[in-house]
Amino acid sequence: MKNNFIILIILLSIITGFSSCNTVKYVSENENLLTKNIILVNDKKNVDDEITDYVVQRPNSLVLGVPFPLHFYNIGNKNFESDYDQWKIDNPKAYNFTTKVFSEKQTRGLHNFKYNTHKWWLNNGEEPVIFDSKKATQTVDNFMQHYHNEGYFNVKAYYDIAYLKNKKAAVTYYVNTDKPYTLDTITINIESKVLDSIYLSQKEASFIKKGEKFKYSLFINEQNRITNLFRNSGIYHFNKNAILVDADTSNYKSNIDLIINDSIANIPYKIQKIKKINIYTDFAYNTKDNPIQDSLNYKGYFFLTQNKLKYNPKLLLDAVFIEPNDIYKDETRELTRKNLRRLNNFRTVEIKYNELENDFLEASIYLTPLKKYSIGFSSELTHSNIRQLGISGKLSFLNRNIFKGSEILKFSVQGSFLDSKDAADSEKLLNAWEIGGDVSLELPRILLPFKANKIIPKSMSPKTIFTVGTSLQKNIGLDKQKFTGIIDYTWESTTTKKHSFQLLNAQFIKNLNIDSYFNIYNSEFEEIQSIASTYFNEDISTSDVVDFINLNIDSNFESSNPTEFTIAQNIKNRYNIITEDVLIPSATYTFTYNNSENYKDTDFSFFRARFVSSGNLTSLLATKKDENGIKTLFNTQIAQYVRTDFEYKKFWNLSFENVLAFRSFLGIAFPYNNSSTIPFSRSYFIGGPNDLRAWKIYDLGPGSTQSGLEFNVGNLKFISSLEYRFKIINSVKGALFVDAGNIWDISNSAVTDPEAKFNGFNSLKDIAIGSGFGIRYDLSFILLRLDLGFKTYEPYLESNKWFQHVNFKNNVYNFGISYPF
């Protein structure tokens, strides 16, 4: 506690010191530091982020209420050179002494070091924001324009500045909107009969309707709607500049006259059809003038190449949506470009149109292929409480268009050297290893015995992926060998909704080092050893544990020592679960909703639902059983269970790189029929850098138990996190977070500790809570993260469960790459 108190005093001193720093160090006598902007709209304080976006000049950014970036800037001396020259003049003896003691080169180096140090503080800090009346006037003009666009034509705005003590100032902006104007009479003038008939067919979808509040955005939306309507109805030359809007306003009403020109450059708009489609499958700019050597006409599509045609026309057309004799459409042009790019076979995709006689069009698709063969290598460092240090590498070989249908064959070999605390030789660095390989074949279509085009059309970017792989682990827990086979179908029903159906995800897990179980999971051995010495006066070794339990932990022992009986049976059950070889033949459906526009988007929602069913068909077809009546295949138990996961994430962009992030996850798995437990590799665990950050991986649960075991798992999991992310200076970001969650057991096992089981709402008291803060460094291409988690609520404590170990002695350090969610 003493150390924690000292650390707290130091932190408070730093914050207080920053707060008391002279924030106006670089503010001249005739200037004022802008400290606050207040916006009053109709005499009410504005909280609308959209309005604050129009403020031209903002005060220095705050971190937890303190202008840290400004203080960083003030630490530096922007007048260092002139101050240094003046120091030499004012202190000639000190300067001469320095040059005598040090060489001229060393003196210059010391000067450069000081100069660069001050430069670093200045570059990474934030210079003071000096109030500028011109920017305040521009802000007023921005408010006026904004509300004018929203239909408040009588809006008035002005600002008032309050000069505060110590060369500081606060600005208050006053906005009076008056009443908004509404749309009244709407007249549509379209002279072209062709355009008029197209417009009338979609007139009900108009954004401009009588009685609506006048908004400039409505006219922009209507202009885009009409443009898209015409350009997807064969009007190739139409553009939004042909749409004019005239508004006559009076008495808070607006009469709208929408005018659409009937021609461009005096050429009337016409519906144009595509007569010919050329596809150049080996186009390159430096050889574009070379003669065509190979050509093929397939269903009205002309495939042209300078060498031999390497693509199957029928299969390549799965990504082409422009059709002969169809009218011109922007949407088919964009859909074709998008789907040809997703094939990952072409470096560039370009689509051009030429006009032919009689208003026909010729479409030309230029495809520049990527190299057929490529080799890649990647490496990474990993860290967790299970694997203290890991160095891994992956070598991959890729073959594009292997069957002339834009397929991608990929072969990968990966290996890792790890520092595992569970390894047999735990004193050596990198005392464990993994090696594995896999082969995958990706097809840009749904491959089934029947045609699935009507169910999943090619516009949904369908894909089929076949994967087979194997891996071998040595001295990582128990040594394991895994064999995996996957058949995965993916498609996108909309830009925000994605689907994945794994018809087969089969995994065979074989344990290779069962005899070392109690050497690796030593805490479980110590529990049994204690029972043996206390109640049976026996000294057992790790190889005797299972035999000891089978011979001595019976009903007689249970009647006199129920707690120890449960402990021993739990350890035996865990031994059976972890050491058993298991075959997991599952089918999985995953639905994902993500309305993020791009990777930089910080204001979006994400939802994923996953449904897994394992062992149903295999158990039905299997005929062999082991001595316990469990169905087997290849002498291995078939895992039969269902599992469902739900994950929801929501991100709010508060302002200026301040983001509030929320994540919640709920998962549940039920074993049945052929299985009484969930395979260890498919069970839930909690803790770690991307989970409940105040606990290490596998350290918590299930329920309110505190077993002290190395690997704690359950078949019900809940976790929820709330994180506030903010900018400190430049690329350095900060975060404050709260995580809450736990795992439980929902089996009907009689030997499971009651405190580990989920018992409805009563078990909500078992939810552990961790809180903490983090520092992140954003390198643009990668984000490095350090989070410190503190145990805030510990459900396994007997008495007071709150804030008992909130200190730096018991916190958990989490190193990670990218955000935790």
Side-chain angles (χ1 to χ4, degrees):
M1 285 297 293
K2 182 178 179 180
N3 291 336
N4 295 329
F5 181 75
I6 293 174
I7 293 172
L8 181 61
I9 292 296
I10 293 173
L11 291 175
L12 290 175
S13 299
I14 293 172
I15 294 174
T16 304
F18 269 134
S19 300
S20 60
C21 280
N22 183 13
T23 56
V24 293
K25 175 181 178 180
Y26 291 120
V27 179
S28 303
E29 287 300 324
N30 59 342
E31 296 177 333
N32 296 95
L33 179 70
L34 181 62
T35 59
K36 183 183 291 187
N37 283 329
I38 302 172
I39 305 172
L40 298 177
V41 180
N42 297 328
D43 299 325
K44 293 182 179 179
K45 192 171 183 180
N46 175 72
V47 292
D48 188 354
D49 288 339
E50 184 181 0
I51 301 302
T52 59
D53 288 343
Y54 294 103
V55 178
V56 177
Q57 190 177 38
R58 312 173 193 276
N60 289 99
S61 55
L62 303 177
V63 179
L64 303 178
V66 179
F68 281 106
L70 174 59
H71 290 310
F72 269 74
Y73 185 87
N74 287 342
I75 291 173
N77 183 0
K78 68 178 184 179
N79 303 315
F80 174 78
E81 289 288 8
S82 59
D83 289 350
Y84 181 76
D85 292 338
Q86 186 63 43
W87 175 81
K88 289 194 296 184
I89 296 172
D90 295 341
N91 302 275
K93 292 183 179 180
Y95 174 73
N96 292 331
F97 174 78
T98 303
T99 54
K100 288 180 180 179
V101 174
F102 302 101
S103 66
E104 183 179 349
K105 182 178 181 181
Q106 289 173 326
T107 303
R108 187 166 57 253
L110 181 61
H111 164 271
N112 292 338
F113 172 76
K114 290 183 177 180
Y115 172 79
N116 290 329
T117 300
H118 286 286
K119 198 75 174 176
W120 186 90
W121 288 109
L122 294 170
N123 290 338
N124 287 278
E126 186 178 275
E127 62 181 308
V129 177
I130 307 302
F131 169 74
D132 187 335
S133 60
K134 292 182 179 179
K135 292 181 179 179
T137 301
Q138 182 61 55
T139 298
V140 170
D141 292 341
N142 291 346
F143 288 156
M144 294 278 287
Q145 185 63 49
H146 168 72
Y147 282 104
H148 193 273
N149 292 340
E150 292 294 300
Y152 297 94
F153 297 144
N154 300 324
V155 62
K156 295 179 180 179
Y158 64 97
Y159 75 89
D160 183 42
I161 181 170
Y163 294 99
L164 309 175
K165 296 179 180 179
N166 198 19
K167 297 187 290 186
K168 297 179 181 179
V171 179
T172 302
Y173 295 96
Y174 298 90
V175 181
N176 189 343
T177 64
D178 196 20
K179 294 192 303 182
Y181 279 63
T182 58
L183 302 180
D184 192 21
T185 303
I186 300 173
T187 305
I188 309 297
N189 293 313
I190 306 176
E191 295 184 9
S192 168
K193 293 183 179 180
V194 174
L195 298 187
D196 187 56
S197 63
I198 296 173
Y199 177 84
L200 291 176
S201 67
Q202 299 291 329
K203 183 179 180 181
E204 297 303 318
S206 174
F207 289 94
I208 305 174
K209 296 180 181 179
K210 183 175 182 178
E212 290 283 344
K213 178 182 171 183
F214 186 105
K215 287 187 177 182
Y216 182 72
S217 60
L218 292 178
F219 297 95
I220 297 297
N221 292 338
E222 180 66 3
Q223 185 184 48
N224 291 334
R225 184 192 74 85
I226 293 173
T227 302
N228 291 334
L229 174 63
F230 290 152
R231 289 190 62 83
N232 286 307
S233 299
I235 313 301
Y236 172 67
H237 285 293
F238 192 86
N239 64 74
K240 61 178 63 179
N241 294 328
I243 304 172
L244 304 176
V245 178
D246 187 20
D248 182 16
T249 59
S250 64
N251 197 26
Y252 297 104
K253 290 187 178 181
S254 297
N255 297 320
I256 305 300
D257 191 7
L258 181 67
I259 304 169
I260 301 178
N261 293 333
D262 64 345
S263 62
I264 180 171
N266 295 322
I267 301 176
Y269 289 118
K270 295 180 180 179
I271 295 177
Q272 294 181 268
K273 289 187 176 183
I274 298 168
K275 184 177 183 180
K276 186 179 181 183
I277 301 174
N278 303 317
I279 302 178
Y280 299 86
T281 61
D282 60 354
F283 176 80
Y285 184 79
N286 57 351
T287 61
K288 61 184 177 65
D289 296 326
N290 289 0
I292 299 298
Q293 300 292 337
D294 193 8
S295 64
L296 175 67
N297 182 355
Y298 180 81
K299 294 185 176 181
Y301 294 88
F302 292 86
F303 289 83
L304 308 168
T305 63
Q306 296 174 357
N307 298 292
K308 185 179 179 181
L309 180 61
K310 298 178 181 179
Y311 290 87
N312 183 318
K314 178 182 177 181
L315 298 179
L316 187 61
L317 289 180
D318 284 342
V320 177
F321 295 82
I322 303 170
E323 298 181 359
N325 300 316
D326 193 10
I327 61 174
Y328 171 83
K329 296 179 183 179
D330 269 358
E331 58 187 19
T332 56
R333 182 180 190 172
E334 290 305 313
L335 201 56
T336 299
R337 181 183 287 111
K338 170 191 169 184
N339 280 271
L340 285 171
R341 285 176 175 170
R342 79 172 178 86
L343 296 178
N344 293 321
N345 268 248
F346 305 104
R347 181 181 293 108
T348 60
V349 176
E350 188 175 2
I351 303 175
K352 294 182 179 180
Y353 288 85
N354 293 319
E355 293 190 76
L356 306 176
E357 296 179 351
N358 301 320
D359 299 322
F360 283 105
L361 295 174
E362 178 187 53
S364 295
I365 303 174
Y366 298 93
L367 305 176
T368 303
L370 291 164
K371 292 181 179 179
K372 181 175 177 60
Y373 303 105
S374 63
I375 298 176
F377 178 78
S378 62
S379 61
E380 64 176 358
L381 293 175
T382 59
H383 168 80
S384 72
N385 59 302
I386 302 301
R387 302 175 182 183
Q388 302 298 315
L389 175 66
I391 302 175
S392 63
K394 182 176 182 179
L395 179 66
S396 59
F397 170 80
L398 193 142
N399 184 344
R400 294 183 177 88
N401 194 38
I402 184 170
F403 299 122
K404 296 187 177 182
S406 304
E407 306 87 358
I408 297 177
L409 177 69
K410 186 175 183 181
F411 173 72
S412 301
V413 177
Q414 54 271 348
S416 303
F417 289 95
L418 308 164
D419 179 27
S420 174
K421 72 177 186 179
D422 296 320
D425 189 353
S426 59
E427 295 183 358
K428 288 185 178 180
L429 184 65
L430 303 179
N431 49 25
W433 54 266
E434 286 184 77
I435 189 169
D438 58 74
V439 179
S440 67
L441 177 63
E442 179 182 313
L443 298 86
R445 65 193 71 89
I446 297 295
L447 187 64
L448 286 169
F450 57 90
K451 289 187 177 181
N453 294 344
K454 293 184 179 179
I455 304 173
I456 306 174
K458 67 178 186 178
S459 59
M460 293 186 179
S461 304
K463 187 185 299 182
T464 303
I465 304 174
F466 299 95
T467 305
V468 292
T470 182
S471 66
L472 177 64
Q473 297 178 350
K474 188 69 174 177
N475 284 334
I476 305 172
L478 299 180
D479 299 343
K480 285 182 172 61
Q481 187 168 14
K482 297 180 182 179
F483 298 92
T484 303
I486 301 173
I487 303 175
D488 189 12
Y489 302 101
T490 65
W491 66 96
E492 302 175 9
S493 55
T494 68
T495 55
T496 59
K497 299 174 183 177
K498 297 182 179 180
H499 309 261
S500 171
F501 176 58
Q502 291 186 344
L503 179 64
L504 176 66
N505 186 335
Q507 188 175 66
F508 171 65
I509 301 174
K510 183 176 180 59
N511 292 283
L512 305 176
N513 194 20
I514 297 175
D515 293 339
S516 298
Y517 179 89
F518 288 104
N519 291 322
I520 295 169
Y521 303 102
N522 192 253
S523 63
E524 299 187 21
F525 168 69
E526 291 175 353
E527 291 272 11
I528 299 300
Q529 190 179 48
S530 176
I531 293 174
S533 61
T534 302
Y535 298 98
F536 298 92
N537 197 27
E538 290 187 25
D539 185 17
I540 62 173
S541 66
T542 55
S543 61
D544 301 328
V545 173
V546 177
D547 290 337
F548 171 79
I549 294 175
N550 291 335
L551 291 174
N552 298 286
I553 309 301
D554 52 19
S555 57
N556 294 328
F557 183 75
E558 180 184 13
S559 60
S560 56
N561 303 282
T563 301
E564 288 73 15
F565 174 83
T566 301
I567 291 173
Q569 290 297 332
N570 275 335
I571 290 174
K572 179 183 175 182
N573 287 342
R574 280 174 51 80
Y575 168 84
N576 290 333
I577 293 171
I578 295 176
T579 61
E580 70 178 355
D581 297 339
V582 63
L583 176 65
I584 310 173
S586 63
T588 305
Y589 169 73
T590 304
F591 168 79
T592 304
Y593 171 84
N594 187 350
N595 64 357
S596 173
E597 294 183 358
N598 53 59
Y599 72 96
K600 293 184 178 180
D601 194 355
T602 55
D603 199 322
F604 66 95
S605 299
F606 174 94
F607 173 75
R608 180 171 57 209
R610 180 183 288 115
F611 306 92
V612 183
S613 176
S614 173
N616 291 330
L617 181 60
T618 311
S619 296
L620 186 65
L621 298 177
T623 56
K624 293 185 178 181
K625 295 183 179 180
D626 61 14
E627 63 273 12
N628 297 316
I630 303 299
K631 288 188 176 182
T632 62
L633 186 64
F634 309 123
N635 296 320
T636 304
Q637 178 182 335
I638 301 169
Q640 191 169 12
Y641 65 90
V642 292
R643 170 173 162 162
T644 302
D645 302 333
F646 299 97
E647 184 178 19
Y648 174 74
K649 294 186 286 189
K650 175 65 179 176
F651 300 84
W652 295 271
N653 186 2
L654 301 180
S655 64
F656 316 120
E657 298 191 54
N658 291 312
V659 176
L660 186 65
F662 172 78
R663 180 267 309 269
S664 191
F665 175 91
L666 176 64
I668 187 170
F670 291 100
Y672 64 98
N673 286 355
N674 206 55
S675 297
S676 58
T677 59
I678 303 297
F680 181 78
S681 62
R682 295 295 188 268
S683 298
Y684 296 108
F685 64 88
I686 199 163
N690 300 320
D691 208 90
L692 191 59
R693 284 165 279 185
W695 280 265
K696 296 180 180 180
I697 297 175
Y698 293 105
D699 270 6
L700 180 65
S704 59
T705 60
Q706 191 176 23
S707 65
L709 303 177
E710 282 84 355
F711 295 88
N712 296 290
V713 295
N715 45 11
L716 171 64
K717 177 179 179 178
F718 169 78
I719 185 171
S720 194
S721 300
L722 186 66
E723 182 169 285
Y724 173 57
R725 301 167 182 170
F726 53 89
K727 177 182 177 181
I728 298 178
I729 55 168
N730 287 355
S731 298
V732 180
K733 312 294 176 67
L736 299 173
F737 61 83
V738 177
D739 302 325
N742 208 335
I743 55 174
W744 291 268
D745 185 275
I746 57 173
S747 68
N748 296 319
S749 175
V751 297
T752 300
D753 192 326
E755 294 179 341
K757 292 185 177 182
F758 184 78
N759 299 305
F761 288 105
N762 187 50
S763 293
L764 296 181
K765 68 180 186 301
D766 297 337
I767 294 178
I769 300 176
S771 56
F773 60 90
I775 298 293
R776 291 87 189 273
Y777 190 71
D778 191 351
L779 298 172
S780 297
F781 62 93
I782 194 173
L783 183 135
L784 305 178
R785 171 169 56 93
L786 170 62
D787 288 338
L788 278 71
F790 299 89
K791 296 177 176 63
T792 307
Y793 176 82
E794 301 172 77
Y796 43 77
L797 296 181
E798 293 184 0
S799 53
N800 190 3
K801 304 181 180 186
W802 287 94
F803 306 109
Q804 294 303 297
H805 298 101
V806 180
N807 51 58
F808 286 93
K809 180 180 179 181
N810 293 283
N811 76 296
V812 174
Y813 294 93
N814 296 283
F815 296 94
I817 296 175
S818 188
Y819 290 106
F821 58 89

